[in-house]
Amino acid sequence: MSRRALTLLVASFLVLALGVVGAFLPVPYVVLSPGPTENTLGEVEKKPVITITGHETFATTGALRLVTVEYKGGPTNRIDLLTALRGWLDPTVAVVPETTIFPPNQTAQQVEQQNAAEMTGSQDNATAAALTELKIPFTAEVVVAGTEKEMPAEGKLKTGDQLLKVDGVDVVTVDTVTAQVKSHKPGDTVVFTISRDGKQQGVPIVAAAGPEGNAMVGVSLSTKKYNFPFTVTINVGDVGGPSAGLMFSLGILDKLTPGELTGGKSIAGTGTITPEGRVGAIGGIAQKMVGARDAGATVFLTPADNCAEALNAAPDGLRLVKATTLHEAVTALDALASGKGSVPSCAAG
């Protein structure tokens, strides 16, 4: 064999060897794939997903499926290049930078703890949203999360203050406070009744003008605790994050009302939920739709802010129904079940 041929042979072998070794090197990416779905009207591990005690409930049929995304990879268990390449070639999965799921300043354990906390929060918000939709009274402990610098509330309201009333109006949710402040004009005095260190006091604050000319005081709020008139328990096993909020709300609402919200069909969907019933955007919409279709769903409740992305990735046979609020989702499901009325569609913009 000539020296040139030998050199080419050795070089080819080295390139092949490096390629094989390189294919198994860990890379900072995460593969997202369709995860399992759970029927919020059904059971998980032989226990009801939603249990309501202290209030009359009604039988349900069909399915209201929450959808999930599974991930492979992460700082402590990185995928190799070959796995990433396979993912890039599979239209049902997504390969994203590791930092999308695991922020650089958080450990994998901290991310899991945050997801668990968000799941708990979404369950409380879902119960609040369902009761709000059904006009069942409840209360919440709304506290000050912080104030904006150089805004009227700075120095007058403190983190941890519990808001009891605004201008004499009982604080039920965060929206109660927002609505009451916005009912004023810039320059008006807004009187907050708060509890601080166990003592009740009134705090008058002169409202400033917001970006749109509305009154604002520059305070951020959070809900510390809900006081519901009965108990709602949600069991979903090893599922985290806030994106099942809408489907929890629908499941609770269906159990609390006579009739079949699903019309006996398999309905899937996703979206965060606020106590007032606003539906928010989520991640992994493409993978969640594939999981929904694989589970037999024909209708997919889609957050309005995810509609554009969903339209480009929807699998065949899955109807996308736009959901901006819980009320809109309920109205749409009623229309689908009865065959009467309009159904908001992502395609309609």
Side-chain angles (χ1 to χ4, degrees):
M1 180 181 295
S2 67
R3 180 177 294 178
R4 182 177 181 182
L6 181 60
T7 301
L8 288 172
L9 180 61
V10 171
S12 298
F13 175 78
L14 289 174
V15 169
L16 178 61
L18 289 173
V20 170
V21 172
F24 292 98
L25 288 176
V27 292
Y29 287 91
V30 174
V31 174
L32 306 179
S33 58
T37 69
E38 298 292 354
N39 178 15
T40 60
L41 302 177
E43 296 183 342
V44 171
E45 298 177 352
K46 298 182 179 181
K47 294 181 180 179
V49 173
I50 298 173
T51 302
I52 299 172
T53 54
H55 194 282
E56 182 181 12
T57 58
F58 300 87
T60 59
T61 63
L64 288 168
R65 294 191 174 278
L66 65 85
V67 287
T68 65
V69 174
E70 291 185 335
Y71 72 85
K72 182 184 294 183
T76 60
N77 188 30
R78 281 183 168 167
I79 60 172
D80 55 45
L81 179 60
L82 188 60
T83 300
L85 289 173
R86 284 200 299 263
W88 276 312
L89 296 174
D90 187 342
T92 68
V93 306
V95 181
V96 300
E98 187 176 86
T99 52
T100 304
I101 309 297
F102 302 94
N105 59 340
Q106 287 185 305
T107 65
Q109 183 179 11
Q110 287 173 326
V111 170
E112 290 178 0
Q113 290 173 343
Q114 180 178 332
N115 285 340
E118 289 177 341
M119 170 57 77
T120 300
S122 75
Q123 293 172 4
D124 289 340
N125 286 349
T127 303
L131 268 58
T132 298
E133 176 68 15
L134 295 173
K135 295 181 172 55
I136 297 175
F138 65 93
T139 60
E141 294 181 13
V142 176
V143 298
V144 174
T147 58
E148 297 180 35
K149 290 185 177 180
E150 300 180 358
M151 290 298 290
E154 184 182 19
K156 294 189 174 183
L157 295 177
K158 296 182 179 180
T159 300
D161 286 347
Q162 181 183 346
L163 271 61
L164 305 176
K165 299 176 183 287
V166 182
D167 297 326
V169 176
D170 289 336
V171 172
V172 179
T173 66
V174 170
D175 267 19
T176 305
V177 181
T178 302
Q180 195 62 29
V181 172
K182 286 186 175 180
S183 71
H184 286 273
K185 296 178 181 179
D188 288 351
T189 298
V190 185
V191 180
F192 294 85
T193 303
I194 67 169
S195 175
R196 179 186 296 165
D197 299 326
K199 296 180 180 180
Q200 185 172 314
Q201 58 182 287
V203 180
I205 300 177
V206 178
E212 299 178 0
N214 56 293
M216 65 180 298
V217 298
V219 60
S220 57
L221 306 171
S222 64
T223 301
K224 182 179 179 181
K225 178 184 177 183
Y226 289 104
N227 300 305
F228 297 124
F230 50 88
T231 303
V232 178
T233 305
I234 298 178
N235 160 53
V236 286
D238 189 21
V239 176
S243 64
L246 171 60
M247 302 312 291
F248 287 147
S249 290
L250 291 170
I252 295 167
L253 194 148
D254 201 9
K255 284 177 173 282
L256 289 173
T257 53
E260 301 174 350
L261 188 59
T262 65
K265 298 178 181 178
S266 179
I267 310 291
T270 188
T272 62
I273 197 78
T274 68
E276 298 74 30
R278 293 189 297 272
V279 178
I282 51 81
I285 189 76
Q287 288 70 47
K288 289 177 178 178
M289 289 189 297
V290 172
R293 192 70 187 95
D294 288 346
T298 56
V299 173
F300 191 84
L301 295 170
T302 311
D305 289 340
N306 285 116
C307 269
E309 181 185 359
L311 279 171
N312 292 327
D316 292 338
L318 194 64
R319 180 177 182 177
L320 303 186
V321 175
K322 182 173 67 174
T324 304
T325 64
L326 174 61
H327 182 73
E328 184 178 64
V330 171
T331 302
L333 291 180
D334 286 341
L336 286 171
S338 65
K340 300 176 182 179
S342 61
V343 178
S345 169
C346 280

